[in-house]
Amino acid sequence: MLIMLIYKGFRVLSKEFSIVSTEEPYLLGQILLNKQDETGIKYIERAIDKDSSIVIEGCQIICSFLQEQGKINQAKSYQERAENYTELILKAQQERSRVRENDKFESHNVSDIEVNKLHQQFSDRPHIITVYLVQKKLQYFPEKPLYVLAVKREVTFLEGIEKPDHSKLVNSLLQENEFLGNVFIFILNDHLNMEKKLKRIPNSMIYHKKRKK
């Protein structure tokens, strides 16, 4: 059974460099290639090894340089590398675009500090009953986790007459999310079999509303 979702995007293509040691050889490599110095290739390769977000752009820069040098076969290898990496990204995006009941999940490994922040966020919403947090096991770029937030909410009598629209709640939670990065959020009310599966994962329940005495 397919569970539709809304999630914050996969950031493999980000051009922001958070590590200075990655940015410096990357820029140096480009400067050298602009001066027709082939040693710039090794600096770009070094940067690519440390930052997967620049694989495609880096390969394209090297490819253009080699084409200008008449080294067509070498240029072709970098072009193919960029194309293959693009395919991997598309597969990764597709893998992250949905959650199914037959998917495999594992513990979230989020710090207690961040979990407590999420707990506070949900406690401010009286209609939320229970929240589970896990990671989806991924085939592509598993080092870039996809967190799954499964939320069970109270449904009013009027909402229960017709199938309730959960999109407003999901969108609101996505906008408030500051801790998890790539995250997939769905409402458990329509997928109760999924809750049984999530309960079996250690530390998956990160919030449960206390009943009033």
Side-chain angles (χ1 to χ4, degrees), residues 93-122:
Q93 290 173 334
Q94 184 178 20
E95 184 179 36
R96 287 162 167 76
S97 69
R98 59 183 180 270
V99 165
R100 292 190 174 100
E101 289 183 6
N102 61 352
D103 285 335
K104 294 182 179 180
F105 304 95
E106 57 190 353
S107 298
H108 55 73
N109 294 325
V110 175
S111 70
D112 291 341
I113 294 175
E114 302 304 332
V115 168
N116 289 336
K117 291 178 181 178
L118 288 167
H119 186 281
Q120 181 60 48
Q121 176 181 324
F122 297 125

Side-chain angles (χ1 to χ4, degrees), residues 61-74:
I61 291 171
I62 296 172
C63 178
S64 295
F65 170 80
L66 292 172
Q67 286 176 337
E68 291 174 0
Q69 298 294 311
K71 299 179 180 181
I72 304 304
N73 289 335
Q74 288 179 257

Side-chain angles (χ1 to χ4, degrees), residues 99 104-119 121-122 128 130-137 145-152 174 177 179-186 188 194-195 197-208:
V99 165
K104 294 182 179 180
F105 304 95
E106 57 190 353
S107 298
H108 55 73
N109 294 325
V110 175
S111 70
D112 291 341
I113 294 175
E114 302 304 332
V115 168
N116 289 336
K117 291 178 181 178
L118 288 167
H119 186 281
Q121 176 181 324
F122 297 125
I128 291 181
T130 308
V131 181
Y132 297 89
L133 174 63
V134 296
Q135 285 189 48
K136 179 179 176 180
K137 288 189 176 181
L146 174 66
Y147 297 102
V148 178
L149 272 175
V151 179
K152 182 187 283 187
L174 281 171
N177 170 50
F179 319 117
L180 296 179
N182 299 315
V183 59
F184 181 119
I185 301 176
F186 72 94
L188 267 175
M194 185 66 130
E195 184 174 16
K197 185 172 184 176
L198 297 178
K199 279 183 177 179
R200 295 195 290 267
I201 300 173
N203 304 314
S204 59
M205 184 186 292
I206 64 169
Y207 174 77
H208 184 69

Side-chain angles (χ1 to χ4, degrees), residues 166-182:
H166 302 306
S167 60
K168 185 176 180 180
L169 172 60
V170 172
N171 284 319
S172 176
L173 291 173
L174 281 171
Q175 291 174 0
E176 291 179 7
N177 170 50
E178 299 176 355
F179 319 117
L180 296 179
N182 299 315

Side-chain angles (χ1 to χ4, degrees), residues 10 12 52 85 96 135 138-146:
F10 183 44
V12 166
S52 61
Y85 199 81
R96 287 162 167 76
Q135 285 189 48
L138 301 169
Q139 179 180 356
Y140 303 101
F141 304 104
E143 73 279 4
K144 299 179 182 294
L146 174 66

